[in-house]
Amino acid sequence: MPAERLPMRKVREVLRQRYACGASERVIAQSLGLGRTAVGEYIRRAAVIGITWPIPAELDDAALERKLFAPAGYNPPQSKPLPDWAHVHAELRRARVTLALLWQDYRGQHPDGYGYSRFCDLYGEWRRGVTATMRQTHIAGEKLFVDFAGDTMPVFDPVTGEVRDTKIFVAVLGASNFTYAEACLSERLPDWIGAHVNALEFLGGVPKAIVCDNLKAGVTTASRYEPGVNRTYQDLAAHYGTTIMPTRPRKPRDKAKVEGAVLIVERWILARLRDRRFFSLTEVNVTIRALVVELNDRLMRKLGASRREFFETIDRPALMPLPGEPYQYAEWRRARVAPDYHVEVQGHFYSVPSRLIRQVVEVRTAQTTVEVFHRGVRVASHVRSPVRRRHTTIPEHMPSAHRRYAFWTPERVLAAAKKIGPSTVAQCEAIMRAKPHPEQGFRSCLGILSLGRSYGPVRLEAACRRGVVIGAASYRSIASILKTGLDKAFMPDPEPDADPIHHGNIRGRGYYH
């Protein structure tokens, strides 16, 4: 049963102790033997109707009781002009506009109008009659609410007849209720980001914040206090100069605006298309775009204006401008640098500086580029390659020893061998032919060429000639021939002098005949 109402004597004593003595609700409750909830309720009711202490003498107990405890739904006969509540509600969405300011404008037009407290009370009563999507007061250009609808739109494959259910992305501005919708193939990250880019292009500006649900594509960690936002989603926000604000888990009221917009889209757009058959995603979105324009142009009966009118007068002037270029989709992932100073991205290997071996880096993969970051600093950038199981290597990323070795090719090896002699060329060719891949013989060939610095090119050529004759196609064989002096048997004979020496002590060839 409802609690018995206190006599007005005790109510007057509550107000006296509160306003004349400055006592707290707890002290008043202990002094009068009342509950703190009841004391707080009487003080709140008195504040709403503007009664403090002393109570005006013309208010006897009966009049005071009528003011404090008017029955629900009771409204005295209207004798003062009422404000245009729809206009008041719309003006409150503008930045820095308050009820106090709007009340002053109202009293400027109607000096005998309602006082401030009654003005606020009447506005609250009017607002409770507005639809659920309009109850909250939002600042112009402040928030864009986004979510996927629960209903889907089927798309038929014209060849196979296979049906694919597309997801419906919905975005709505808080102040004007200006709505955007489009169909996506999935709720994965690429479609989620692409829908945001299209929505901002549709609005022609950027809000200060984007309020999203805890969708896995956008929010990596759902938390009331420290939610984790996907790095790609953060990248999009940084590009447009806005902020991502995930809602609290299991708190749909945090995004009541888009919940209402989803319901409107399902009723006024998807329901109208229930009997249509679509054969491509483009066809669906062209139809949805036309119905979205019609939805935004429709008059909202309670407010007496359309969403587009509110958008043009309230939200659009407060939106931030779009950047020069739309956001280009890119994915972020963490990777550990392999011992060969490469990281793998979708089956292809890209180099990073060799000093980062075994370090954890962040890889940003865009449509045409692959960038690698270490502690926030970009350390490598590559053109994206579609070839799998191959390497893209920048020479500067290689250790100095690897860099020198990497510059060698079969042609360069043979060109260096040719400077020593034909037998050295033949020896190098034999070594590379003996391997499944010529590159596997580079190290042996380079080792043979390096022997020329110790033994000279003549002896090296002789050793290679012996190696070719006996079929010794290896670095160890040539090094052993030089070390044991077996190359000397294959040294070329010295060329005879062109002109014989004439001297009295030299007999010459004719002496013996």
Side-chain angles (χ1 to χ4, degrees), residues 147-154 164-170 181-184 187 259 261-272 274 284 288:
D147 199 2
F148 277 109
D151 292 349
T152 59
M153 179 62 62
R164 182 169 187 177
D165 290 330
T166 60
K167 311 297 182 179
I168 306 301
F169 173 85
V170 179
E182 76 166 87
C184 303
E187 295 183 1
E259 294 286 350
V262 164
L263 183 62
I264 291 173
V265 168
E266 290 176 345
R267 289 177 176 176
W268 290 95
I269 296 179
L270 301 186
R272 294 175 64 179
R274 64 189 183 280
V284 174
I288 290 178

Side-chain angles (χ1 to χ4, degrees), residues 93-114:
R93 301 174 204 166
R94 295 181 180 272
R96 296 176 292 278
V97 176
T98 63
L99 273 175
L101 178 62
L102 296 174
W103 173 75
Q104 292 176 1
D105 295 341
Y106 162 73
R107 288 300 293 264
Q109 298 176 3
H110 306 286
D112 57 342
Y114 292 102

Side-chain angles (χ1 to χ4, degrees), residues 220-406:
T220 56
T221 305
S223 172
R224 178 172 182 171
Y225 304 105
E226 293 183 354
V229 180
N230 184 284
R231 181 64 185 273
T232 300
Y233 204 11
Q234 288 181 333
D235 204 16
L236 175 133
H239 180 82
Y240 286 101
T242 186
T243 303
I244 304 299
M245 294 178 56
T247 60
R248 296 173 296 172
R250 297 178 296 279
K251 295 293 182 181
R253 289 186 180 180
D254 289 359
K255 56 182 180 68
K257 179 70 66 171
V258 73
E259 294 286 350
V262 164
L263 183 62
I264 291 173
V265 168
E266 290 176 345
R267 289 177 176 176
W268 290 95
I269 296 179
L270 301 186
R272 294 175 64 179
L273 303 177
R274 64 189 183 280
D275 296 327
R276 293 277 301 273
R277 291 175 66 92
F278 297 96
F279 298 97
S280 70
L281 184 66
T282 302
E283 184 183 1
V284 174
N285 280 326
V286 168
T287 305
I288 290 178
R289 177 65 68 90
L291 293 179
V292 165
V293 172
E294 181 181 332
L295 172 66
N296 288 323
D297 291 338
R298 182 182 295 116
L299 185 69
M300 294 185 288
R301 289 174 295 176
K302 187 69 177 181
L303 299 177
S306 67
R307 293 173 174 80
R308 187 173 300 279
E309 291 177 34
F310 281 127
F311 173 69
E312 296 294 344
T313 57
I314 297 175
D315 267 328
R316 184 186 286 278
L319 292 176
M320 298 181 291
L322 289 169
E325 296 291 335
Y327 174 73
Q328 299 296 325
Y329 176 77
E331 290 188 7
W332 289 83
R333 58 182 291 266
R334 292 164 64 87
R336 188 177 295 276
V337 181
D340 64 351
Y341 47 89
H342 286 72
V343 292
E344 181 180 1
V345 178
Q346 297 182 353
H348 193 90
F349 300 91
Y350 299 90
S351 68
V352 299
S354 58
R355 58 183 172 80
L356 298 177
I357 290 176
R358 300 294 186 185
Q359 297 292 317
V360 176
V361 295
E362 291 182 311
V363 183
R364 182 179 185 270
T365 308
Q367 184 175 4
T368 58
T369 60
V370 173
E371 297 174 290
V372 183
F373 294 81
H374 182 249
R375 296 181 179 177
V377 179
R378 189 174 70 175
V379 294
S381 179
H382 301 271
V383 176
R384 187 172 178 179
S385 173
V387 183
R388 296 181 62 84
R389 317 313 301 174
R390 291 292 186 272
H391 292 70
T392 297
T393 307
I394 296 177
E396 288 75 11
H397 293 166
M398 305 169 68
S400 57
H402 293 198
R403 195 180 311 161
R404 289 192 299 269
Y405 176 74

Side-chain angles (χ1 to χ4, degrees), residues 68 97 481:
L68 288 175
V97 176
I481 292 171

Side-chain angles (χ1 to χ4, degrees), residues 1-19:
M1 295 181 61
E4 184 179 354
R5 184 176 298 167
L6 289 179
M8 288 299 103
R9 174 182 56 80
K10 280 202 171 185
V11 175
R12 288 176 181 269
E13 185 62 17
V14 168
L15 298 179
R16 185 191 69 79
Q17 291 192 24
R18 176 65 173 176
Y19 295 106

Side-chain angles (χ1 to χ4, degrees), residues 130-136 138 174 177 256-257 259-261 264 307:
V130 186
T131 57
T133 56
M134 295 298 295
R135 285 183 181 174
Q136 299 181 19
H138 298 278
N177 275 355
K257 179 70 66 171
E259 294 286 350
I264 291 173
R307 293 173 174 80

